[in-house]
Amino acid sequence: MNLTSTERTMQIERELEDLRNALRNHALYRNLSNIKDVQVFMENHVFAVWDFMSLLKFLQHTFTSTKAPWLPPKNNAVARFINEIVLDEETDINEKGEVKSHFEMYLEAMQEIGADTEQMVAFIERIREGHSISYALRQGNIYSCTAEFTRFTFDLIETDKPHVVAAAFTFGREDIIPDMFIEILEQADQENVKYSKLRYYLQRHIELDGDEHGPLALKMIATLCGDDDQKWSEVLLIAKKALEKRLKFWDGINTLIVGKEQFASI
């Protein structure tokens, strides 16, 4: 008996539950206890903030018309969903009323909190110069778990398979648990004077994570896969791999944080 798209997506959600629980309960969250820990986290996580935009741009090209002559989208609801996310992520309004991408807002929050942005800024400059992702990562002396996560993202994009990229976009991007970050900020900056940019960034993401995004992302998957069993199988495979890569990424950052704390106590 053929499964409906709803039944297929529910099946995928069940298959991913153990990996998602492992992420929700990762030791990294327990070890993020002060501003220095947040600095280390952000210096690595910023690469995931950046490469998320490439996943999004690939999907925008797939679902909307991004060149002339313009053609109407095949699925208006999904096209609107993608365009709304692009609008929010690429041209949002910061705490001063200025138009900024979330990536730029994240960099500014890093600077405000004392995290090092030089590595990411130099990486972006190498990309602007036309170098490959692999070259830019190698030249940047970027932490291995961070580089591996970023390479995986672009390996998916290079497949040129929209359902593969959509799988990582829909199922493979776990939140950074903003509540935990906000608690640390409140302990370190009760007057919201020193770390207002990071607090605004986190609160903005809470606002934007509405109930409508999840169902529309699943509709995007269903549109791309249709009745193709092979595509549905690939979606599940990539969704699992994406979460496994995120877990490994978190493992690496956690090792960095714990190592620094141990070193500081000597």
Side-chain angles (χ1 to χ4, degrees), residues 99-158:
V99 178
K100 296 273 184 176
S101 68
H102 282 192
F103 171 73
E104 291 168 306
M105 290 163 62
Y106 197 92
L107 282 180
E108 290 179 352
M110 288 176 67
Q111 292 169 338
E112 186 182 63
I113 207 169
D116 186 2
T117 62
E118 288 185 9
Q119 196 175 58
M120 171 50 83
V121 171
F123 173 80
I124 290 292
E125 189 55 36
R126 285 188 287 274
I127 299 298
R128 285 191 193 279
E129 292 169 355
H131 295 295
S132 69
I133 299 297
S134 295
Y135 176 88
L137 289 170
R138 285 196 308 271
Q139 296 300 309
N141 195 29
I142 294 162
Y143 190 45
S144 59
C145 73
T146 305
E148 182 179 340
F149 184 84
T150 305
R151 286 194 192 95
F152 173 72
T153 297
F154 283 88
D155 285 345
L156 297 181
I157 291 170
E158 287 171 8

Side-chain angles (χ1 to χ4, degrees), residues 18-147:
D18 287 346
L19 286 168
R20 284 181 162 164
N21 283 335
L23 272 169
R24 293 186 192 109
N25 299 306
H26 199 284
L28 170 63
Y29 301 129
R30 296 190 294 275
N31 289 323
L32 283 169
S33 58
N34 55 54
I35 293 299
K36 289 186 181 297
D37 297 337
V38 174
Q39 289 170 354
V40 174
F41 179 88
M42 293 183 76
E43 287 165 4
N44 290 278
H45 178 252
V46 66
F47 283 85
V49 175
W50 175 77
D51 74 8
F52 169 82
M53 286 303 301
S54 291
L55 290 175
L56 179 57
K57 283 297 182 177
F58 180 94
L59 293 172
Q60 186 184 33
H61 180 71
T62 299
F63 282 103
T64 72
S65 187
T66 56
K67 59 184 180 180
W70 177 84
L71 293 171
K74 293 180 179 179
N75 188 307
N76 290 328
V78 176
R80 181 180 177 87
F81 164 60
I82 293 295
N83 281 333
E84 283 180 351
I85 295 179
V86 170
L87 177 66
D88 291 333
E89 292 286 341
E90 193 171 42
T91 53
D92 203 4
I93 306 299
N94 72 3
E95 80 284 0
K96 293 181 179 180
E98 303 165 331
V99 178
K100 296 273 184 176
S101 68
H102 282 192
F103 171 73
E104 291 168 306
M105 290 163 62
Y106 197 92
L107 282 180
E108 290 179 352
M110 288 176 67
Q111 292 169 338
E112 186 182 63
I113 207 169
D116 186 2
T117 62
E118 288 185 9
Q119 196 175 58
M120 171 50 83
V121 171
F123 173 80
I124 290 292
E125 189 55 36
R126 285 188 287 274
I127 299 298
R128 285 191 193 279
E129 292 169 355
H131 295 295
S132 69
I133 299 297
S134 295
Y135 176 88
L137 289 170
R138 285 196 308 271
Q139 296 300 309
N141 195 29
I142 294 162
Y143 190 45
S144 59
C145 73
T146 305

